[in-house]
Every structure is written in structure tokens, then in C-alpha cells.
Amino acid sequence: MKNIKRSLIALFAMLAISCNVEDVQDRPVIEGVDSPVLTAPTSGAAYVLKPENAAAQAERFTWKSANFSGDVQITYSVEIDKKGNEFKTPQVIGSVVSENQVSVTVETMNKAALALKATPFAPAEYEARVSAVTGNMAPMYSNVIGLVLTPYTTENPKLWVPGGYAAASGYPKDWDPASSPQLSASGFGKVDFEGYVNFAGAGEYKFTSFPEWKGEFGEGATAGTLDPKGANLKMTAAGYYRIEVDTEKLTYKTTATSWGIVGDATPGAWDNSTAMTYDAAAKVWKITVDLVGGKEMKFRANNNWDVNMGDTGANGSLEYGGDNIKVATAGNYTITLDLSSPRNYKYTVTKN
């Protein structure tokens, strides 16, 4: 009986081995044979992307199928990267399974360009390719084509204020647009720029339309005017300046400001501002003061009402001429005023 059992076990083992060998021999070998071939668009295609067309198709990418020597499911992805970057930071703008085309919207293409640090409204060169992947195999890549993209932004336009004053005034570097303080327009497509910049002393500066030396504005022929080819602008005295620029009229205005709090909750009531102190490292105005409960306050510049800010909506954001800020209970408070982010002015009132 034992011999019969041993024989049966041996027989089943041989059958199992035989079946496994046959399965392996019959199984198709999956390997990359032919890469996909990108057939559209043609190299050099240019796209001026616009926000009003965000949902529209920017391009339909098409390609010839990859060959993995078998009937397998293939995932295709269209990638773009900056020209010359060798796809070290590719952005995927479309992906499909076992198909030979993908439609890419204006918005998708624009987001990819911005993710690659594109400068809005400025054309730049990119490269595109298609990757093909199946299972755990390494991807195969198509031919590479060149594209020219002009992306957009719906954010408020900005101006940068680089100059020789910066390092001494609490900003990272002199004459470095990327790290310099900014001015902001009132909305998308607007040309009225505003912001606040600290000057620790007299100094020279310019305006740039980008965080680099492009779209410059310098001194115009007469006071208060700008010229794209003009010399450096000059700030003649130290101060914390409100700067206003109109890039269409090519004019600018600087107003030295010294900020304080005012209101029946403050020591000076509604007649006299209680002065705040500017902290260049933190880039905020500060004061520690006793406030009266159940009363109100505002921020104002230069101890007059020409420039004042309140909080319409009681949401921590400030607006010119906004509503009075209510002080619920009496006590000693630390108050900050942050004007470092143009047109996004904030404050805090913290009881000590």
C-alpha cells in the first residue's frame, strides 16, 4: 500500500512539473520591440494660451502604437518639459490606455507650463514625447518634438522693485528682482500697481514686470514719470513707502508712511494716532498697548485720514477706508500690521 501511495505521488509530481514546463514554454515573452512614434503635432507647433479658452482643446496628440511583442495593455502618457532639460522634470498632460491619441485642454497645457516655472505671457520652448508602459517593464519613449508655449495667469499682475537699498532694508539681496518686494495690480488685466517698500536709507531702484531683468521701468524725462529705458529711480530719504505705479500712463508716486492705531479703544481716541514701530526683520508694524473694551479702532498713516484701513467683514483682512475694528474686552494687547503682501493686507490683535 505504501508503495502505491509513493508511486501516485511521484506520478502527480511528474505531471505537475510537465505542465509547469509546458506553461512556461507556451507563455509569450513580453519585451519592448518598437517604441511609440509621435505623429502629431509637428515639431515647432506654437500655442498662445488664453484664459477665456481654458476648457477648449489646445492640441490632440497622436502616435503610432508601441510593440511589446504580445497582446498587452499599454498605458501611454504625453509628457512635456523645458527644452534642454532632458525630461528631468516632466509634466504629464494626458494619459490613456491602449489608445493612440489624447486631447489636451488649454488649461492643462497652461498648468504644466506654469509648473515648469514659465513666465506668464512670454513664449518659451518646450519638448514633448510619449511614454509607453506595460506591467512592471521599463517605459519606452517616442521621438521628441519641440513646442512653443505662451502661458497665462489669472493672478493679479505684479511689479518687482529691485534696488541697491534692499539688503540693508530687510530684503534678501540688492538688485535681485526675484527676491525683491512686489507691487500688485488691483485685478487681472489691470495696470494700477500698489505696494509698500521699506527703505532703510536713500537708495536707487527700478521696477521690473517679471522676477528677472525683463520689462524694466526706470526714470522718465519729468518727475513722477517712467521710461522703459530710463536710468535708476532714486529714493532720497529713508522711510516706509507706499508706491503706486501706472504702467499704461508710465507714472509713479511714492508716499512715506508711518503707521499707528486710532479710535476710542486706543490711548489717542479718534483725534491722535498711537504710533506703531516697524520691525524690518518680521516686515510688520507692531505695538503693545492697553485698549478699552467695547470700543473700536482702525489703522492709519501719518496721523491723518488720507490713508486709513479697517476690516470690512471682520475677517482679518484690511481694506482702505474699511469698517472699524471692534475690541471686545479691555486689556493689554499686542497688535501687528502686515503690509508686506501687496493688496493682501493683514493684522492681528492679540490679548497678552
Side-chain angles (χ1 to χ4, degrees):
M1 191 66 178
K2 290 182 180 179
N3 290 335
I4 293 172
K5 287 182 179 180
R6 289 194 187 108
S7 298
L8 288 172
I9 291 170
L11 177 61
F12 287 135
M14 290 177 65
L15 288 172
I17 293 170
S18 176
C19 289
N20 288 340
V21 170
E22 288 176 1
D23 286 346
V24 171
Q25 289 174 342
D26 292 341
R27 190 178 301 159
V29 177
I30 304 303
E31 58 183 356
V33 177
D34 299 310
S35 296
V37 178
L38 187 54
T39 55
T42 57
S43 192
Y47 308 86
V48 179
L49 308 174
K50 297 182 179 180
E52 58 266 31
N53 301 328
Q57 176 180 285
E59 183 59 85
R60 184 177 297 278
F61 289 79
T62 65
W63 55 89
K64 293 180 181 178
S65 298
N67 178 10
F68 283 92
S69 72
D71 185 14
V72 293
Q73 182 172 281
I74 303 173
T75 299
Y76 295 100
S77 299
V78 179
E79 303 175 347
I80 69 168
D81 202 350
K82 292 180 290 186
K83 182 180 179 180
N85 199 41
E86 299 180 345
F87 290 92
K88 294 175 183 175
T89 57
Q91 298 293 309
V92 175
I93 58 174
S95 185
V96 292
V97 176
S98 297
E99 295 184 21
N100 296 85
Q101 60 179 310
V102 67
S103 176
V104 179
T105 65
V106 168
E107 182 178 25
T108 297
M109 193 174 283
N110 190 71
K111 285 182 177 179
L114 295 179
L116 293 169
K117 309 300 183 184
T119 300
F121 310 109
E125 293 184 276
Y126 297 83
E127 293 176 323
R129 70 182 182 184
V130 174
S131 70
V133 177
T134 186
N136 295 321
M137 294 190 64
M140 293 197 297
Y141 297 104
S142 72
N143 51 309
V144 174
I145 63 168
L147 304 175
V148 178
L149 306 183
T150 303
Y152 63 85
T153 180
T154 54
E155 295 181 0
N156 290 5
K158 299 289 194 298
L159 288 178
W160 286 258
V161 193
Y165 71 92
S169 303
Y171 305 106
K173 297 179 183 178
D174 287 343
W175 296 111
D176 177 43
S179 64
S180 65
Q182 300 172 25
L183 314 180
S184 176
S186 60
F188 175 67
K190 302 295 185 179
V191 295
D192 56 336
F193 294 85
E194 181 207 89
Y196 289 84
V197 180
N198 183 48
F199 282 76
E204 297 187 350
Y205 63 100
K206 276 192 167 185
F207 303 117
T208 66
S209 301
F210 302 95
E212 55 185 301
W213 288 106
K214 291 169 58 178
E216 299 173 34
F217 296 94
E219 192 174 50
T222 57
T225 65
L226 298 170
D227 185 335
K229 297 181 180 179
N232 295 341
L233 298 160
K234 297 177 178 62
M235 197 67 78
T236 58
Y240 190 81
Y241 287 87
R242 181 188 184 189
I243 302 180
E244 300 166 87
V245 176
D246 188 313
T247 54
E248 187 171 79
K249 296 178 181 178
L250 291 179
T251 59
Y252 78 104
K253 177 183 177 182
T254 62
T255 305
T257 64
S258 183
W259 287 84
I261 56 173
V262 67
D264 53 10
T266 72
W270 289 108
D271 297 321
N272 294 294
S273 298
T274 302
M276 304 179 78
T277 301
Y278 183 67
D279 183 335
K283 299 179 178 59
V284 297
W285 291 84
K286 292 180 178 179
I287 186 174
T288 298
V289 63
D290 292 332
L291 297 179
V292 180
K295 301 296 183 178
E296 299 176 330
M297 58 162 279
K298 296 186 83 170
F299 297 94
R300 70 176 185 176
N302 302 334
N303 201 30
N304 63 54
W305 290 105
D306 292 346
V307 181
N308 73 88
M309 293 186 183
D311 183 359
T312 301
N315 57 3
S317 295
L318 292 168
E319 298 82 28
Y320 287 113
D323 292 348
N324 297 343
I325 299 164
K326 299 183 185 303
V327 177
T329 59
N332 183 260
Y333 288 82
T334 296
I335 301 171
T336 66
L337 171 64
D338 185 353
L339 306 177
S340 63
S341 180
R343 295 190 185 273
N344 184 30
Y345 307 131
K346 305 286 187 181
Y347 72 98
T348 62
V349 180
T350 306
K351 195 172 186 179
N352 296 318

